[in-house]
């Protein structure tokens, strides 16, 4: 077994991400990461004291791949870039992405993403007292949509499930039967949802 050199946290997190992508979060252990890197488990504990710290680091590792704000971008362009990039992140790492729902943003990389959203809302004119609430509204929508799509809850082609429900005694389903299984353009739906959020934010 070789020893880790200093400042190897990124390599550890990349190894953890690869394990979780390939085998799921249940397979992610300190020992598994060490074996993948060819080091002793104690070398990993020198950087992360336990699995919870490793998972927090993995949240930061995912979020650091999101784009930074570009000079001259408006507040709604910044929020849009965050939202679309987060959706792509869920598609790239569907098995790991739910961590963003399950764990708080505590690492510097994760906090930087939240700060970007805070700044966009401040620039939009949202009162300071309302910024945390609106940030939670935005991130809950984006993470929820991305997770639902990546893990199969949404179907772009329509699979007949909703219309089969409508054949039972659910009046709203029966009324909407003609619309429930229409082909869904999830790109267009996501864009429309973001437009709705922007309209909510503007007059705040």
């Amino acid at each position: 077994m070789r020893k880790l050199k200093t400042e190897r946290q990124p390599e550890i997190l990349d190894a953890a991400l690869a394990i979780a992508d390939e085998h799921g979060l249940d397979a992610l252990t300190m020992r598994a990461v060490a074996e993948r890197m060819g080091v002793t488990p104690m070398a990993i504990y020198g950087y992360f004291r336990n699995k919870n710290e490793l998972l927090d680091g993995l949240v930061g590792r995912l979020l650091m791949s999101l784009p930074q704000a570009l000079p001259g971008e408006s507040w709604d362009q910044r929020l849009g870039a965050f939202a679309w990039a987060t959706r792509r992140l869920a598609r790239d790492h569907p098995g790991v992405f739910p961590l963003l729902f399950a764990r708080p943003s505590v690492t510097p990389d994760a906090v930087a993403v939240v700060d970007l959203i805070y700044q966009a809302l401040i620039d939009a004119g949202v009162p300071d007292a309302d910024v945390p609430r609106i940030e939670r509204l935005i991130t809950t929508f984006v993470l929820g949509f991305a997770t639902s799509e990546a893990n199969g809850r949404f179907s772009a082609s329509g699979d007949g499930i909703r219309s089969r429900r409508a054949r039972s005694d659910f009046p709203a389903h029966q009324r909407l039967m003609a619309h429930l299984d229409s082909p869904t353009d999830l790109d267009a739906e996501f864009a429309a949802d973001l437009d709705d959020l922007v309209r909510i934010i503007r007059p705040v």
Side-chain angles (χ1 to χ4, degrees):
M1 291 285 185
R2 62 188 175 89
K3 293 183 178 180
L4 285 176
K5 297 180 180 179
T6 58
E7 303 303 326
R8 300 298 290 275
Q9 282 191 0
E11 185 181 353
I12 295 171
L13 293 174
D14 284 345
L17 182 60
I19 292 169
D21 278 338
E22 294 167 11
H23 306 292
L25 286 171
D26 289 343
L28 181 57
T29 65
M30 306 292 270
R31 181 173 296 276
V33 174
E35 289 177 354
R36 191 177 188 98
M37 298 180 65
V39 300
T40 66
M42 289 307 298
I44 306 299
Y45 284 105
Y47 289 87
F48 300 95
R49 290 176 296 179
N50 50 50
K51 184 175 177 179
N52 281 332
E53 283 195 359
L54 180 65
L55 292 176
D56 287 339
L58 197 52
V59 168
R61 167 65 179 78
L62 289 172
L63 292 178
M64 72 179 291
S65 66
L66 297 178
Q68 300 298 310
L70 297 176
E73 281 187 321
S74 63
W75 66 266
D76 51 324
Q77 287 175 325
R78 280 175 270 156
L79 290 181
F82 155 77
W84 286 100
T86 301
R87 188 171 168 226
R88 289 192 296 272
L89 190 65
R91 291 173 172 176
D92 292 340
H93 305 284
V96 186
F97 189 80
L99 270 182
L100 301 187
F101 252 140
R103 307 195 67 81
S105 301
V106 295
T107 67
D109 291 324
V111 173
V113 174
V114 177
D115 195 72
L116 182 151
I117 299 172
Y118 282 170
Q119 189 61 57
L121 295 175
I122 291 170
D123 293 346
V126 175
D128 287 1
D130 291 330
V131 167
R133 177 179 64 83
I134 302 298
E135 181 272 331
R136 287 191 291 271
L137 171 66
I138 293 169
T139 54
T140 299
F141 158 69
V142 173
L143 294 176
F145 190 105
T147 299
S148 295
E149 181 184 19
N151 288 282
R153 180 171 175 260
F154 294 161
S155 173
S157 59
D159 54 14
I161 292 176
R162 293 185 179 88
S163 62
R164 288 199 297 275
R165 289 178 188 157
R167 297 188 187 103
S168 56
D169 297 326
F170 295 104
H173 277 72
Q174 291 177 355
R175 172 173 176 153
L176 298 173
M177 185 184 293
H179 307 284
L180 292 178
D181 288 324
S182 300
T184 303
D185 182 340
L186 291 178
D187 288 340
E189 184 170 310
F190 190 67
D193 292 344
L194 291 178
D195 286 344
D196 289 340
L197 280 176
V198 167
R199 282 195 291 271
I200 290 172
I201 294 168
R202 277 205 173 104
V204 169

